[in-house]
């Protein structure tokens, strides 16, 4: 794989760390800023909504800029946003800083995914996406547990100072290793891009992404209290268990890319139903320590196996609007993040309790599976309808 692809992976690692690290710090942030765990969970929702809103806006605003310049500028925004998080004096300021940081996220992954697929042959595109997203999974494997440990030992602000340093390093790596743009496609009018995005298959793909990751984040957002308050682990055990989740993410991400390169539709359906099954079965493992460690790893694998199939599906359906579609799909991942955090908080706040999160979360990717079936059926019907007139004409000529 080209060296530039691994530079994109470095940027993905930095951004992934800041997105997920807050999940290992919820209880510390809630205590220090005098808010509830559910309110602290909204810091995840605020970040995700910022990604969702920022992705199309920044992608449109930067569509005529060289892609390398866009990626470097976004990493600078990311770094400054994390610096603001580290010095935030109260909950409101921290929320604002998180939203500012999030604005870079969607466009970075969206533009980066397009760059990644342009660096490889046609039959390696999903694998290229999965390699870039390996930075996100390694962030969860290393960044999130390390951040949780830093927060436990030195306070949650130390974690954001560390992430700021990661941002500086990632910016330098991208500026050094990603080559200057050569032969980027000429930008198309934003109105034409919107027409491409408005196609039913693209919209259904975005909906699959929202629902698929919405279910995962219904559970993962509250993984710290689940492990400590339901399963009975000590606080110090959370970081090592998050390492297991991260290993699962890496394995699932790479497998999902390979499956999608071979047969996209079966990979899409199979990964979504696997995610629903893992969360459904996790409901029976909540009071067993070894089973929860196992299912935490399986949750990471099943969730990130869906990434490449979902991203490639939207890219293939978007035609010439790939940059915007890719960024919107990253926004959709994070809208699912926000929806899941909100849904989980709603379940907790209304008395169902932490133990209800897993089976409720399983219903969400199950609905994504139904949407995927609908989308595939619609596509097959359209192909059949398009082929029928040609066949009839051939028969008449005979």
């Amino acid at each position: 794989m080209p060296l530039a692809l691994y530079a994109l992976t470095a940027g993905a690692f930095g951004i992934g760390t800041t997105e997920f690290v807050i999940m290992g710090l919820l209880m510390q942030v809630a205590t220090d800023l005098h808010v509830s765990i559910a309110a602290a969970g909204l810091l995840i929702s605020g970040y995700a909504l910022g990604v969702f809103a920022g992705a199309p806006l920044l992608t449109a605003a930067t569509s005529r800029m060289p892609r390398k310049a866009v990626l470097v500028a976004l990493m600078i925004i990311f770094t400054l946003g994390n610096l603001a998080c580290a010095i935030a004096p109260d909950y409101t300021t921290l929320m604002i800083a998180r939203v500012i940081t999030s604005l870079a996220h969607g466009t970075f992954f969206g533009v980066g995914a397009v760059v990644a697929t342009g660096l490889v042959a046609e039959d390696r595109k999903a694998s290229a996406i999965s390699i870039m997203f390996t930075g996100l999974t390694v962030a969860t494997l290393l960044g999130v547990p390390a951040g949780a440990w830093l927060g436990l030992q030195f306070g949650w602000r130390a974690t954001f100072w560390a992430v700021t340093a990661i941002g500086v390093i990632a910016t330098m790596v991208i500026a050094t290793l990603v080559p200057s743009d050569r032969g980027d496609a000429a930008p198309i009018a934003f109105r034409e891009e919107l027409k491409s995005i408005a196609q039913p298959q693209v919209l259904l793909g975005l909906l699959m992404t929202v629902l698929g990751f919405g279910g995962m984040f219904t559970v993962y957002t509250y993984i710290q209290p689940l492990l400590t308050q339901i399963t009975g682990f000590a606080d110090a055990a959370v970081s090592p268990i998050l390492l297991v989740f991260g290993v699962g993410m890496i394995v699932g991400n790479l497998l999902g890319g390979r499956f999608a390169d071979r047969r996209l539709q079966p990979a899409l359906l199979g990964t979504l139903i696997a995610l629903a099954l893992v969360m459904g079965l996790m409901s029976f493992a909540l009071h067993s320590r070894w089973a929860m460690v196992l299912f935490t790893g399986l949750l990471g694998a099943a969730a990130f196996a869906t990434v490449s199939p979902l991203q490639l599906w939207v890219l293939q359906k978007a035609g010439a609007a790939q940059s915007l579609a890719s960024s919107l799909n990253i926004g959709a991942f994070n809208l699912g993040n926000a929806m899941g955090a909100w849904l989980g908080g709603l379940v907790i706040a209304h008395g169902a309790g932490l133990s209800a999160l897993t089976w409720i979360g399983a219903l969400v990717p199950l609905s994504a599976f139904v949407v995927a079936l609908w989308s595939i059926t619609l596509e097959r019907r359209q192909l059949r309808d398009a082929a029928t007139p040609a066949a009839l004409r051939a028969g008449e000529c005979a």
Side-chain angles (χ1 to χ4, degrees):
M1 289 289 183
L3 189 60
L5 188 56
Y6 296 100
L8 296 173
T9 303
F13 173 79
I15 291 180
T17 299
T18 201
E19 178 181 18
F20 294 121
V21 75
I22 191 71
M23 296 171 189
L25 303 171
L26 280 186
M27 296 174 71
Q28 291 92 325
V29 171
T31 300
D32 186 49
L33 299 182
H34 309 291
V35 296
S36 66
I37 291 177
L42 292 178
L43 291 167
I44 299 167
S45 299
Y47 184 98
L49 291 173
V51 175
F52 182 72
L57 295 176
L58 284 180
T59 301
T62 60
S63 62
R64 297 182 181 276
M65 292 175 59
R67 286 175 179 157
K68 178 177 179 178
V70 171
L71 294 174
V72 171
L74 293 172
M75 288 305 302
I76 292 172
I77 294 172
F78 157 82
T79 303
L80 294 175
N82 277 290
L83 176 61
C85 289
I87 61 177
D90 52 41
Y91 176 81
T92 301
T93 307
L94 179 59
M95 177 67 80
I96 293 171
R98 287 278 293 172
V99 172
I100 291 172
T101 307
S102 73
L103 295 177
H105 184 126
T107 304
F108 179 88
F109 277 100
V111 173
V114 175
V115 172
T117 57
L119 293 170
V120 298
E122 186 69 29
D123 62 347
R124 302 298 302 278
K125 290 185 181 296
S127 292
I129 292 173
S130 72
I131 287 175
M132 177 185 167
F133 275 84
T134 297
L136 195 64
T137 58
V138 173
T140 305
L141 176 63
L142 300 178
V144 173
W149 180 84
L150 276 175
L152 186 64
Q153 300 298 321
F154 305 105
W156 63 270
R157 295 180 189 277
T159 301
F160 282 102
W161 280 111
V163 175
T164 301
I166 292 172
V168 172
I169 295 170
T171 303
M172 294 172 63
V173 169
I174 290 172
T176 302
L177 297 181
V178 173
S180 298
D181 299 2
R182 292 178 295 175
D184 277 356
I188 64 174
F190 188 60
R191 181 180 299 176
E192 295 302 315
E193 287 189 300
L194 290 178
K195 288 182 181 179
S196 296
I197 297 301
Q199 296 178 83
Q201 291 289 9
V202 177
L203 296 177
L204 288 174
L206 295 174
L207 179 59
M208 290 177 225
T209 300
V210 172
L211 295 173
F213 261 56
M216 192 272 280
F217 276 101
T218 300
V219 176
Y220 187 59
T221 299
Y222 301 96
I223 193 68
Q224 184 185 30
L226 270 172
L227 292 172
T228 57
Q229 297 180 22
I230 301 297
T231 310
F233 284 105
D235 289 343
V238 173
S239 293
I241 296 171
L242 291 179
L243 283 172
V244 177
F245 181 87
V247 171
M249 287 175 65
I250 292 175
V251 173
N253 180 52
L254 295 175
L255 287 177
R258 291 186 180 183
F259 293 154
D261 276 334
R262 293 175 182 175
R263 297 185 66 190
L264 180 56
Q265 289 185 2
L268 184 67
L269 294 172
T271 54
L272 287 172
I273 198 64
L275 179 57
L277 285 172
V278 166
M279 283 191 287
L281 294 173
M282 196 176 190
S283 301
F284 301 100
L286 290 173
H287 298 284
S288 169
R289 293 189 178 187
W290 70 267
M292 271 299 286
V293 172
L294 172 64
F295 272 93
T296 299
L298 290 174
L299 178 63
F304 273 75
T306 69
V307 171
S308 294
L310 288 167
Q311 188 77 0
L312 188 59
W313 180 269
V314 171
L315 282 173
Q316 286 189 353
K317 307 306 175 188
Q322 287 197 347
S323 289
L324 182 58
S326 182
S327 296
L328 282 172
N329 202 48
I330 299 301
F333 279 115
N334 284 271
L335 183 59
N337 178 335
M339 184 190 76
W342 169 82
L343 178 60
L346 193 67
V347 170
I348 296 169
H350 284 72
L354 289 165
S355 59
L357 293 176
T358 48
W359 67 265
I360 290 177
L363 297 176
V364 187
L366 185 61
S367 65
F369 174 80
V370 173
V371 173
L373 282 176
W374 177 22
S375 181
I376 291 170
T377 301
L378 178 62
E379 181 178 52
R380 290 176 178 172
R381 185 180 303 161
Q382 290 172 338
L383 290 173
R384 185 170 61 249
D385 291 345
T388 299
L392 288 175
R393 286 195 298 270
E396 289 173 0
C397 291

